[in-house]
Amino acid sequence: MVEGAQSRVWGYRTVYLLFGLAVVFYRLLPLETGSPGLPGPDFILCVTLAWVLRQPQAVPVGAILFLMLLSDFLLQRPPGLWTALAIAAAEYLRNRRAGIAETPFLFEWGVVAGAILAMVLGQRLILWVLLADQPSLGLSLMEGLATIVIYPIVVLVSKFALGLDKLPVVESEPGRP
């Protein structure tokens, strides 16, 4: 039984990394031939936060670091800033998972929305303090809002297509009997 659970966790880790690499590759493709439209959601962040609340062992910090840092470099964002904010948000949610696990989904969605908005505003504040170029506030907020809006869809796909259910808090914590 332990071997089956361990192989399932490694399977989820593999799916997470392959999905993240596919998203980065897709965003690098020159598919927009006209004028740029509205910013899309950050799928990697959305999947990361959803999976951290459902199967915390499936999304280790090293995988988050790798995917976010790779996307920072390849998508020409300030290196490490979005990565640090994403790791901070993921670890915040991972540590608060015990309180969020037993609440209704709308509360979970609200907590995730707050974490995403804190990331967007934190990035703006840090870039402002460093006097770095940054996109307009409207575009940053629209990307954050798009990420918040697709969160329930990511949770549904994770649950029904991949079988990624919420673990009880006791099962997800290593070292507990």
Side-chain angles (χ1 to χ4, degrees):
M1 171 144 172
V2 172
E3 293 173 8
Q6 194 70 356
S7 66
R8 192 176 72 230
V9 167
W10 278 102
Y12 287 138
R13 288 177 180 173
T14 304
V15 168
Y16 174 74
L17 287 172
L18 290 176
F19 173 77
L21 291 173
V23 167
V24 170
F25 177 72
Y26 177 78
R27 292 196 54 193
L28 287 175
L29 293 175
L31 297 176
E32 292 184 21
T33 57
S35 62
L38 297 175
D42 189 344
F43 284 108
I44 298 173
L45 176 66
C46 197
V47 169
T48 299
L49 298 181
W51 286 28
V52 159
L53 287 173
R54 276 157 179 60
Q55 299 268 346
Q57 296 171 345
V59 189
V61 175
I64 299 170
L65 176 71
F66 171 74
L67 280 180
M68 293 293 181
L69 199 55
L70 180 71
S71 64
D72 279 352
F73 284 123
L74 293 179
L75 301 176
Q76 298 180 356
R77 297 188 294 214
L81 177 58
W82 192 248
T83 303
L85 292 170
I87 289 175
E91 290 305 306
Y92 170 80
L93 291 175
R94 192 184 313 257
N95 290 334
R96 303 289 185 269
R97 186 183 168 295
I100 298 172
E102 304 299 324
T103 60
F105 177 74
L106 286 177
F107 181 77
E108 172 189 335
W109 193 12
V111 170
V112 170
I116 292 170
L117 286 176
M119 287 177 62
V120 168
L121 295 176
Q123 180 186 28
R124 302 266 322 160
L125 179 66
I126 292 169
L127 290 175
W128 178 75
V129 167
L130 296 175
L131 300 173
D133 290 333
Q134 51 187 319
S136 69
L137 178 61
L139 288 176
S140 298
L141 288 176
M142 284 194 307
E143 182 180 5
L145 183 63
T147 305
I148 292 168
V149 166
I150 67 153
Y151 181 79
I153 297 167
V154 168
V155 169
L156 284 174
V157 168
S158 297
K159 181 178 174 97
F160 293 114
L162 299 174
L164 194 81
D165 289 328
K166 274 189 182 180
L167 286 179
V169 176
V170 175
E171 284 184 33
S172 67
E173 295 177 6
R176 288 206 175 190

